[in-house]
Amino acid sequence: MSLIKTVRSPKLLAAPATATKSRFSWASLPRQHLVSYVFMSLLGAFFLLPLIFMVVGSLKPNERVLAEGDSWRAFIPTSVTGANYVDAFQQADFLHLFFNSVVITGSIVSISLVINSLFGYALARFRFRGRALLIAVVVALIIIPLESYVIPLLYMVARLQWVDTYQVQILPFIANPFYIYLFYTFFLNLPKELEEAAQIDGADLWRIFTRVMLPLAGPVFATVAILNFLSSWGQLLWPIMVTHGPEVRPLPLGVAEFQTEPPFHWGTVMAFATMMTVPTVAVFILFQNAFVRGVARSGIKG
Amino acid sequence: MATTLQQSRTSKAKRYTPPLVVWAFLIPGAILLGIFLVAPFALAVGMSFTSLRLISPLPLKFLGWQNYARTFVDPLFRQALQNNFLFALVVVPLQTSLALWMAILVNQKIRFVKFFRTLFFLPLTTVLTVAATVWSLLYIPDTGFVNGFLRALTFGHFQPHWLYDPHFALTAVMIVGIWQSAGFQMVIFLAGLQEIPEELYEAVAIDGAGSWTKFRYVTLPGLRNTLIFVVTVTTIFAFRLFDAVYIMTKGGPLGSTETMLLRVYEVGFDQQKIAVGAAISVVFFLIVLVVSIIQRIFVHEEGGLA
């Protein structure tokens, strides 16, 4: 039932097909549409201007970022320099922190896709004792946020002498009940005929999973990968607690650090922030349809 | 199709999957969940009743409810709790209606909506740390754009000191929160909107309904579950507030942006009072739990209809 329903849910970020193919002109717009455009432009400005400020600020000499901050010149590159980017690399050690973030986020996203999809698939398709109970436990665990057990977790990893390592920033975030649940509901809604056909052809369970199910599961993998990427890339609380030196620190801590030691080189901060945002924008642009389709399909809506 | 599905399901129901296969699929996840979620969570509850500190010469003692009692008389914690509730009370209705309005705007069949959808979604690509850093520059009282804009708008009459003023700091944080995550809620509403059958709108249009009637009697009821979900997520987000205040204010000025998670961090990490920190995080969990239970009650009612 729900499968049939979701098939007709269209690509959300794609523009709906316009009925007329005639050439566009502002004058022919109904008044109601014009009002919509005015509102959308105002909202758009609210959402876009801080981002423009960030990018433009990264290109300006340090002192101009604040000096021109209170007028429209804040959003205009009045004078362009690459010095901030050079500083971000040389003084703020961007490359090192970027490498750390890539290692940490990359490991979390890739390993967690494997582990959580296996778990979700087993819950959806296998028959075993305690299955219903296990599903209930997973659903219950979704409610527990990291922040509610972060202190004992810190106590545990401190005892293990894991402070200032990569694994302390990776291992706790691999298995995730919410992602397991997303995989579970996705596989549950896939028709069983394909697997049964493969079974008749003599394929074992592992082959069925890797050759039949995985190729169909692109959307849910994309959803989980993107949700996971966004939350790992931005993590702040946990890295603050488990890294003391810059060795294994991720990017968000680099940004946070800027604001603790004056003098503040705001142009450099903006360059750092801009470069830190580039990967997220890239992931979003590359996968936006998959992401939004995934959101709609995976029962995120509850 | 529905019947074949049904048949295949019943015919296989009695066959168990070989236990070895089940274990192979489940064990990696189960071990990690056990070590890094279930165990520390149980520990959090357990240690919140003890005198545990990171390094302490004193022997470990069972304190009962003492840590909780101490937490609830701590004026900073009370202020944090109050701030979290205030944040939820203001941001949840504001952000939910804003996101719904945005979704309705960009769900119209007019040109350029794809462009605006992307625009509204874009702030989500900045992580909160970056968003908070950029906004803290925009909020600078003398040279920030926010006050520059307000100066032009009010001829210099309205110039709050935002992050430096206890009366405005929390408002400033709220705006950043809304700016950063309204786009996500919009996408969820869009998904909900597109599930509403077009025929329903056509049907009420025949009856001569205006756009308000359509919204009130078709859109809102059609979005019931989506609305419940968005409200729940935004409420929990309000109680999880940490990154933005850590970057922008560290809880100040005068505790006006103190939050529960900031207290967890300050007490449990900075002051190394692990047990008290655990007690605060358990209180935090209980609030999240109550919010989630309320959601499930409401969604459950809908179950029969869907």
Side-chain angles (χ1 to χ4, degrees):
Chain A
M1 173 64 193
S2 62
L3 183 78
I4 297 160
K5 228 162 123 189
T6 50
V7 169
R8 57 176 287 276
S9 98
K11 282 170 273 170
L12 296 174
L13 281 171
T18 31
T20 51
K21 284 208 166 159
S22 59
R23 290 210 25 214
F24 180 75
S25 86
W26 290 103
S28 67
L29 277 177
R31 216 189 64 216
Q32 207 189 343
H33 290 185
L34 215 59
V35 174
S36 291
Y37 282 120
V38 170
F39 282 136
M40 286 195 291
S41 306
L42 287 176
L43 285 167
F46 169 64
F47 288 111
L48 194 61
L49 283 179
L51 294 172
I52 295 179
F53 173 72
M54 174 178 80
V55 177
V56 167
S58 76
L59 297 168
K60 280 181 185 175
N62 267 315
E63 61 289 351
R64 282 213 184 191
V65 177
L66 285 196
E68 298 179 342
D70 63 344
S71 71
W72 291 105
R73 278 178 303 167
F75 309 106
I76 299 159
T78 48
S79 94
V80 175
T81 166
N84 297 322
Y85 285 87
V86 175
D87 278 353
F89 279 108
Q90 285 176 353
Q91 280 160 30
D93 213 3
F94 179 84
L95 212 58
H96 182 90
L97 299 187
F98 183 79
F99 174 79
N100 289 341
S101 271
V102 169
V103 169
I104 294 162
T105 300
S107 312
I108 291 178
V109 172
S110 52
I111 306 173
S112 95
L113 281 181
V114 177
I115 305 250
N116 293 319
S117 65
L118 287 174
F119 206 108
Y121 181 74
L123 288 185
R125 282 297 196 257
F126 293 167
R127 306 276 136 200
F128 55 92
R129 262 177 231 287
R131 174 176 166 270
L133 179 70
L134 197 56
I135 293 169
V137 168
V138 168
V139 171
L141 290 182
I142 293 175
I143 297 173
I144 306 177
L146 163 73
E147 294 88 346
S148 65
Y149 55 86
V150 71
I151 295 292
L153 189 61
L154 175 67
Y155 183 73
M156 281 166 57
V157 299
R159 277 297 179 87
L160 288 169
Q161 310 251 319
W162 275 10
V163 171
D164 271 322
T165 60
Y166 284 126
Q167 78 260 23
V168 76
Q169 299 179 74
I170 296 168
L171 284 178
F173 308 105
I174 301 288
N176 182 312
F178 180 58
Y179 301 150
I180 290 174
Y181 179 75
L182 288 185
F183 280 114
Y184 161 70
T185 50
F186 181 87
F187 287 126
L188 201 64
N189 285 332
L190 279 183
K192 270 188 158 181
E193 281 77 7
L194 281 168
E195 289 158 283
E196 279 158 7
Q199 212 162 25
I200 291 164
D201 290 344
D204 56 45
L205 284 168
W206 178 250
R207 276 184 81 85
I208 292 174
F209 179 69
T210 53
R211 297 289 164 80
V212 183
M213 300 311 278
L214 289 193
L216 292 172
V220 67
F221 272 87
T223 306
V224 170
I226 288 169
L227 290 177
N228 204 352
F229 168 78
L230 281 176
S231 70
S232 311
W233 194 255
Q235 264 206 40
L236 183 68
L237 176 62
W238 184 244
I240 293 176
M241 291 182 166
V242 296
T243 64
H244 297 153
E247 267 321 295
V248 292
R249 274 198 172 161
L251 287 168
L253 263 182
V255 173
E257 204 82 323
F258 273 118
Q259 279 141 91
T260 55
E261 345 163 354
F264 304 124
H265 299 294
W266 290 118
T268 315
V269 179
M270 293 298 111
F272 196 100
T274 304
M275 288 194 286
M276 191 176 151
T277 308
V278 167
T280 13
V281 174
V283 167
F284 169 62
I285 288 172
L286 283 173
F287 301 108
Q288 60 173 334
N289 284 334
F291 176 62
V292 179
R293 211 175 333 128
V295 170
R297 203 184 222 191
S298 302
I300 272 191
K301 307 193 297 297
Chain B
M1 179 173 151
T3 48
T4 50
L5 253 169
Q6 208 67 50
Q7 280 163 2
S8 65
R9 232 165 241 171
T10 44
S11 69
K12 287 203 67 184
K14 284 173 199 111
R15 279 226 326 261
Y16 281 100
T17 316
L20 215 62
V21 179
V22 177
W23 283 111
F25 276 66
L26 289 178
I27 268 201
I31 290 178
L32 287 168
L33 280 180
I35 297 177
F36 293 113
L37 204 169
V38 179
F41 181 68
L43 257 176
V45 178
M47 59 176 51
S48 69
F49 295 103
T50 69
S51 63
L52 191 68
R53 282 161 165 267
L54 195 57
I55 306 146
S56 170
L58 303 167
L60 191 64
K61 271 193 310 192
F62 178 78
L63 294 181
W65 294 98
Q66 208 171 307
N67 289 328
Y68 290 93
R70 204 180 295 167
T71 296
F72 276 102
V73 295
D74 168 20
L76 262 181
F77 175 80
R78 287 173 165 222
Q79 201 162 7
L81 200 63
Q82 197 186 325
N83 288 338
N84 280 124
F85 272 101
L86 194 62
F87 194 96
L89 220 62
V90 175
V91 169
V92 171
L94 214 64
Q95 186 173 347
T96 307
S97 33
L98 178 72
L100 178 57
W101 185 42
M102 279 152 56
I104 290 172
L105 276 176
V106 299
N107 197 39
Q108 299 175 93
K109 290 184 173 54
I110 55 179
R111 286 187 194 236
F112 306 123
V113 285
K114 185 185 173 175
F115 168 74
F116 284 108
R117 278 173 202 185
T118 311
L119 217 59
F120 296 168
F121 193 80
L122 220 47
L124 207 73
T125 59
T126 66
V127 299
L128 258 173
T129 327
V130 167
T133 306
V134 172
W135 275 91
S136 62
L137 288 193
L138 297 173
Y139 279 135
I140 293 177
D142 307 321
T143 59
F145 182 75
V146 174
N147 273 3
F149 183 70
L150 290 175
R151 202 174 300 140
L153 216 64
T154 66
F155 305 104
H157 288 300
F158 187 58
Q159 294 283 287
H161 281 215
W162 296 111
L163 300 175
Y164 303 97
D165 183 338
H167 299 294
F168 283 96
L170 194 64
T171 310
V173 177
M174 289 171 177
I175 293 171
V176 177
I178 293 174
W179 179 81
Q180 203 261 351
S181 60
F184 185 68
Q185 270 89 326
M186 176 196 74
V187 169
I188 296 168
F189 275 129
L190 265 174
L193 282 176
Q194 306 199 336
E195 298 261 303
I196 301 174
E198 194 64 35
E199 299 85 63
L200 283 181
Y201 287 105
E202 285 159 14
V204 292
I206 291 170
D207 296 341
S211 50
W212 170 252
T213 317
K214 282 185 190 170
F215 176 75
R216 175 69 187 80
Y217 293 101
V218 181
T219 312
L220 270 189
L223 286 179
R224 187 177 187 274
N225 271 354
T226 314
L227 254 169
I228 294 168
F229 175 74
V230 169
V231 166
T232 312
V233 170
T234 320
T235 311
I236 292 176
F237 171 81
F239 285 99
R240 291 180 75 166
L241 192 61
F242 175 80
D243 294 18
V245 284
Y246 179 83
I247 296 285
M248 297 205 289
T249 61
K250 293 275 194 303
L254 298 175
S256 60
T257 58
E258 191 69 47
T259 71
M260 267 196 288
L261 289 189
L262 213 52
R263 279 317 278 162
V264 170
Y265 167 81
E266 290 160 354
V267 174
F269 179 71
D270 266 355
Q271 306 169 10
Q272 307 204 334
K273 292 177 191 160
I274 292 186
V276 187
I280 302 174
S281 62
V282 170
V283 174
F284 159 73
F285 166 73
L286 289 176
I287 292 173
V288 172
L289 181 70
V290 168
V291 174
S292 309
I293 288 174
I294 293 174
Q295 178 207 15
R296 280 177 197 195
I297 291 170
F298 277 107
V299 172
H300 199 72
E301 275 177 7
E302 179 75 352
L305 281 163

